[in-house]
Coordinates of all heavy atoms in Angstrom, one line a residue:
R299 N 83.5 86.2 115.5 CA 84.5 87.1 115.8 C 84.6 88.1 114.6 O 84.7 87.7 113.5 CB 85.9 86.4 115.9 CG 86.0 85.5 117.1 CD 87.4 84.9 117.2 NE 87.5 83.9 116.1 CZ 88.7 83.6 115.5 NH1 89.8 84.1 115.9 NH2 88.7 82.7 114.5
I300 N 84.4 89.4 114.9 CA 84.3 90.4 113.9 C 85.6 91.2 113.8 O 86.1 91.7 114.8 CB 83.1 91.4 114.2 CG1 81.8 90.6 114.2 CG2 83.0 92.4 113.1 CD1 80.6 91.4 114.7
I301 N 86.1 91.3 112.6 CA 87.4 92.1 112.4 C 87.0 93.3 111.5 O 86.5 93.1 110.4 CB 88.4 91.2 111.6 CG1 88.8 90.0 112.5 CG2 89.6 92.1 111.3 CD1 89.8 89.0 111.8
D302 N 87.2 94.5 112.0 CA 87.0 95.7 111.3 C 88.2 96.0 110.5 O 89.2 96.5 111.0 CB 86.6 96.8 112.2 CG 85.3 96.6 112.9 OD1 84.3 96.6 112.1 OD2 85.2 96.4 114.1
V303 N 88.2 95.8 109.2 CA 89.3 96.0 108.3 C 89.6 97.5 108.2 O 90.6 98.0 108.5 CB 89.1 95.4 107.0 CG1 90.3 95.7 106.0 CG2 89.0 93.9 107.1
C304 N 88.5 98.2 107.8 CA 88.6 99.7 107.6 C 87.2 100.2 107.4 O 86.4 99.6 106.6 CB 89.5 100.0 106.4 SG 89.7 101.8 106.1
H305 N 86.9 101.4 108.0 CA 85.6 102.0 107.7 C 85.9 103.5 107.3 O 84.9 104.3 107.3 CB 84.7 102.0 109.0 CG 84.4 100.6 109.4 ND1 83.7 99.7 108.5 CD2 84.7 99.9 110.5 CE1 83.5 98.6 109.1 NE2 84.1 98.6 110.3
L306 N 87.1 103.8 106.9 CA 87.5 105.1 106.5 C 87.9 105.2 105.1 O 88.7 106.1 104.7 CB 88.6 105.7 107.4 CG 88.2 105.9 108.9 CD1 89.4 106.3 109.7 CD2 87.0 106.9 109.0
V307 N 87.4 104.2 104.3 CA 87.7 104.3 102.8 C 87.0 105.6 102.3 O 85.9 105.9 102.7 CB 87.0 103.1 102.1 CG1 87.2 103.2 100.6 CG2 87.6 101.8 102.6
P308 N 87.7 106.4 101.5 CA 87.1 107.6 101.0 C 85.8 107.3 100.4 O 85.6 106.3 99.7 CB 88.2 108.1 100.0 CG 89.5 107.6 100.5 CD 89.2 106.2 101.1
L309 N 84.8 108.2 100.6 CA 83.5 107.9 100.2 C 83.4 107.5 98.7 O 83.8 108.3 97.8 CB 82.6 109.1 100.5 CG 81.1 109.0 100.3 CD1 80.5 107.9 101.3 CD2 80.4 110.3 100.5
G310 N 82.9 106.3 98.4 CA 82.7 105.9 97.1 C 83.9 105.5 96.3 O 83.9 105.2 95.1
D311 N 85.1 105.4 97.0 CA 86.3 105.1 96.3 C 86.5 103.6 96.2 O 87.2 103.0 97.1 CB 87.5 105.8 97.1 CG 88.8 105.8 96.3 OD1 88.9 104.9 95.4 OD2 89.7 106.6 96.6
V312 N 86.0 103.0 95.2 CA 86.0 101.6 95.0 C 87.4 101.1 94.8 O 87.8 100.0 95.4 CB 85.2 101.2 93.7 CG1 85.3 99.7 93.4 CG2 83.7 101.6 94.0
R313 N 88.3 101.8 94.1 CA 89.6 101.4 93.9 C 90.4 101.3 95.2 O 91.2 100.4 95.5 CB 90.3 102.3 92.9 CG 91.7 102.0 92.5 CD 92.3 103.1 91.6 NE 93.7 102.8 91.3 CZ 94.0 102.1 90.2 NH1 93.1 101.6 89.4 NH2 95.3 101.9 89.9
R314 N 90.3 102.3 96.1 CA 91.0 102.4 97.3 C 90.5 101.2 98.2 O 91.3 100.5 98.9 CB 90.7 103.7 98.1 CG 91.3 103.8 99.4 CD 92.9 103.7 99.4 NE 93.4 103.9 100.8 CZ 94.5 103.3 101.2 NH1 95.3 102.6 100.3 NH2 95.0 103.5 102.4
G315 N 89.1 101.0 98.2 CA 88.6 99.9 99.0 C 89.1 98.5 98.5 O 89.5 97.6 99.3
A316 N 89.2 98.4 97.2 CA 89.7 97.1 96.6 C 91.2 96.9 97.0 O 91.6 95.8 97.3 CB 89.6 97.2 95.1
A317 N 92.0 98.0 97.0 CA 93.4 97.8 97.3 C 93.6 97.4 98.8 O 94.4 96.5 99.1 CB 94.1 99.1 97.0
I318 N 92.8 98.1 99.7 CA 92.9 97.8 101.1 C 92.5 96.3 101.4 O 93.2 95.6 102.1 CB 92.0 98.7 101.9 CG1 92.5 100.1 101.9 CG2 91.9 98.2 103.4 CD1 91.6 101.1 102.5
L319 N 91.4 95.9 100.8 CA 91.0 94.5 101.0 C 92.0 93.5 100.4 O 92.3 92.5 101.1 CB 89.6 94.3 100.3 CG 88.9 92.9 100.6 CD1 88.7 92.7 102.1 CD2 87.6 92.9 99.8
A320 N 92.5 93.7 99.2 CA 93.4 92.8 98.6 C 94.7 92.7 99.4 O 95.3 91.6 99.5 CB 93.7 93.2 97.2
Q321 N 95.2 93.8 100.0 CA 96.4 93.8 100.7 C 96.3 93.4 102.1 O 97.3 93.1 102.8 CB 97.0 95.3 100.6 CG 97.5 95.7 99.2 CD 97.9 97.1 99.1 OE1 98.1 97.8 100.1 NE2 97.9 97.6 97.9
T322 N 95.1 93.2 102.6 CA 94.8 92.7 103.9 C 94.4 91.2 103.9 O 94.7 90.5 104.9 CB 93.7 93.5 104.6 OG1 94.0 94.9 104.5 CG2 93.5 93.1 106.0
I323 N 93.8 90.7 102.9 CA 93.2 89.4 102.9 C 94.2 88.3 103.2 O 93.9 87.3 103.9 CB 92.5 89.1 101.6 CG1 91.5 87.9 101.7 CG2 93.4 88.9 100.4 CD1 90.4 88.1 102.7
T324 N 95.5 88.4 102.8 CA 96.5 87.4 103.1 C 96.6 87.2 104.6 O 97.0 86.1 105.1 CB 97.8 87.8 102.5 OG1 97.7 88.0 101.1 CG2 98.9 86.8 102.8
Y325 N 96.4 88.2 105.4 CA 96.6 88.2 106.9 C 95.3 87.9 107.7 O 95.3 87.8 108.9 CB 97.2 89.5 107.3 CG 98.4 89.9 106.6 CD1 98.4 90.8 105.5 CD2 99.7 89.3 106.9 CE1 99.5 91.1 104.8 CE2 100.8 89.6 106.2 CZ 100.7 90.5 105.1 OH 101.9 90.8 104.4
L326 N 94.2 87.7 106.9 CA 92.9 87.4 107.6 C 92.7 85.9 107.6 O 93.0 85.2 106.6 CB 91.8 88.1 106.9 CG 91.8 89.6 106.9 CD1 90.6 90.2 106.2 CD2 91.9 90.2 108.3
P327 N 92.1 85.4 108.7 CA 91.8 83.9 108.7 C 90.6 83.6 107.8 O 89.9 84.5 107.3 CB 91.4 83.7 110.2 CG 90.9 85.0 110.6 CD 91.7 86.0 109.9

């Protein structure tokens, strides 16, 4: 089962990607 968290992280924005993943992981199985 594939969950697409986000594919619109601003290009190369590691900090934004890190924030999205950290704030989402609690809700992922």
Side-chain angles (χ1 to χ4, degrees):
R299 292 178 294 153
I300 302 173
I301 298 174
D302 290 296
V303 175
C304 180
H305 299 297
L306 296 175
V307 176
L309 189 63
D311 192 339
V312 174
R313 184 185 177 90
R314 177 66 178 149
I318 293 172
L319 185 60
Q321 293 172 15
T322 305
I323 194 63
T324 303
Y325 306 98
L326 297 179

